[in-house]
Every structure is written in C-alpha cells, then in structure tokens.
Amino acid sequence: QVQLVESGGGLVQPGGSLRLSCAASGIIFRFYRMGWYRQAPGKQRELVAEITSGGRPNYEDSVKGRFTISRDNAKNTVYLQMNSLKPEDTAVYYCNAAGGSFSWGQGTQVTVSS
C-alpha cells in the first residue's frame, strides 16, 4: 500500500522560508517522477514543482527562483525548499507521483501571513 506523508508546513511571515518533506513508502521510489502540488481555499489543486527520477527539476512560473525541489532516493523522500514566501503561497501542500498517480496524503498546511 502506497503512503505519502508530508511534513514541515507552518505559519511564516512574508519573505520567510520553509522546507517541506514527503516520505514515500510502498513504491520503488527511485523510479518515479515526483511532484509537489498545492491547493488554496476555493481553488483547484495545482502542480508547483516536479523532479524526474534522474533529479531534473521543473517549476511552475510563479515559484521559479524561489522554490527548490530535491530528492533523496536512499530515504524515499522528496523535499521542497521554499524561500521568499508570499501570501499567495498559502495553501495545503501535497506530494505525489507525476499526474497524481497515488492516493493523496493529508498534506501539510503552509500559511504566509504577517
């Protein structure tokens, strides 16, 4: 059974930083392109960053230069370093394989507010 467990969210002031982690189990993690998604209140879930099995990243335009996705295949974990956070980054953040292949975890709340 696939499990995705996100952590690292919290309340941060504009301009601050957070590092999210997602631990995966039940899959051969290193084979999968992984992504970080977010869903703000009243909006659809959107992909913000993804990383190929070989470690090549890709970013949604609004987070380019501020967010960095990385992975540790030995730990079955994908990370999202978020810098220069803005109020519009406020959302629940989820990880999943590209395309949302697996059941969604509970996510981790990120709130950017002064």
Side-chain angles (χ1 to χ4, degrees), residues 5 13 21 23 31 42 45 52 60 66 76 96 102 106-107 110:
V5 180
Q13 292 187 342
S21 299
F31 288 166
R45 188 176 286 149
T52 67
E60 191 268 332
R66 300 189 298 122
N76 285 5
N96 209 320
F102 303 116
Q106 62 184 17
V110 172

Side-chain angles (χ1 to χ4, degrees), residues 12-106:
V12 63
Q13 292 187 342
S17 298
L18 285 172
R19 189 193 194 207
L20 308 184
S21 299
C22 170
S25 59
I27 61 172
I28 305 177
F29 179 80
R30 67 183 183 276
F31 288 166
Y32 287 89
R33 179 189 304 228
M34 296 297 295
W36 279 99
Y37 301 75
R38 68 186 178 189
Q39 187 167 20
K43 294 188 176 181
Q44 288 193 331
R45 188 176 286 149
E46 63 174 350
L47 176 67
V48 295
E50 61 180 358
I51 186 165
T52 67
S53 57
R56 186 176 68 186
N58 191 36
Y59 301 96
E60 191 268 332
D61 285 347
S62 70
V63 307
K64 281 181 181 176
R66 300 189 298 122
F67 290 10
T68 302
I69 189 171
S70 60
R71 65 190 299 158
D72 185 337
N73 289 338
K75 295 183 178 179
N76 285 5
T77 301
V78 60
Y79 304 97
L80 188 67
Q81 176 67 43
M82 306 187 296
N83 299 328
S84 302
L85 281 161
K86 303 176 181 181
E88 51 263 44
D89 295 318
T90 295
V92 180
Y93 284 71
Y94 304 86
C95 74
N96 209 320
S101 300
F102 303 116
S103 296
W104 296 94
Q106 62 184 17

